[in-house]
Amino acid sequence: MDITNCQHPNHDSQRIKYVCVDPQCSIPKKIGCADCFLDDHITHIRKTTTQFKDFVNESILQINAIEFQQATNSPQKDLTKEIDGELDNCIECIKLKFNTIKGDLKGQIDNDIIKMQDNCAQFQQNMNNELQPFRTTIKNDLHILNQNEINSLVKFYQEAPKIQKHYNKAVEQIQEEKQKIKQKKQKYLTKMRSIMQILLKDFNELMTTKNVQYDDYCDYETPQKQVMSPNKMINLVETARSSRRFPMSQIQKKQFLSAVTKKLE
């Protein structure tokens, strides 16, 4: 039996040549010879078997060529690039602010340290200038010194405690200046920590869902923040059903609207 020929007893074993592709066709048998189509598919859209096979094969190839990974890679790459750009910008802004604070602190501390070092050097020089004559004189035997030299050493002997107290006080003054520099540095560090804590607190509050306000058309809006009207819900459901070729009838729409309205009340 040649299956490529029609088996209908009245069709003279004609070659099976056509396939019905009419979407309105309800005839179970979709393939047949010319007489089959004259009997059952006279007004229907038809294709030859060769055309039909070629179209199906070509459609399979075209559909199979669709690359889902490529479709998702591009947006993901663009989104990642955009997010990275925004984050880098935020980080740079924060770094700029903290670098400004650090530069201000460093500038002030450097000036204070230079001032302290200058004061220290000046006290050291004054002390050396004051002691140097006595260092030179006291190296000699006392009996060979003249009266002025002896009187000078005697005066130094009498005032040595006072001179020592004076320079001890100068050392204390330098130490106080050093402590003030440490306190200033600590004050700035505390300020920077405080700013960071405020930034982190604000960041955490802004990133929690309950504090993020979205507009009515935001794709990421949560059910807690969005109040959807019944008609909007129907449109949403209708769109989903339409994409699956199961649109809601008018009766179903009324029933759905009634149920949603009752639920919202």
Side-chain angles (χ1 to χ4, degrees), residues 185-197:
K185 181 183 70 175
Q186 188 60 42
K187 179 181 178 181
Y188 267 80
L189 292 176
T190 301
K191 181 179 181 180
M192 293 175 71
R193 294 190 188 101
S194 177
I195 293 172
M196 179 57 69
Q197 290 174 354

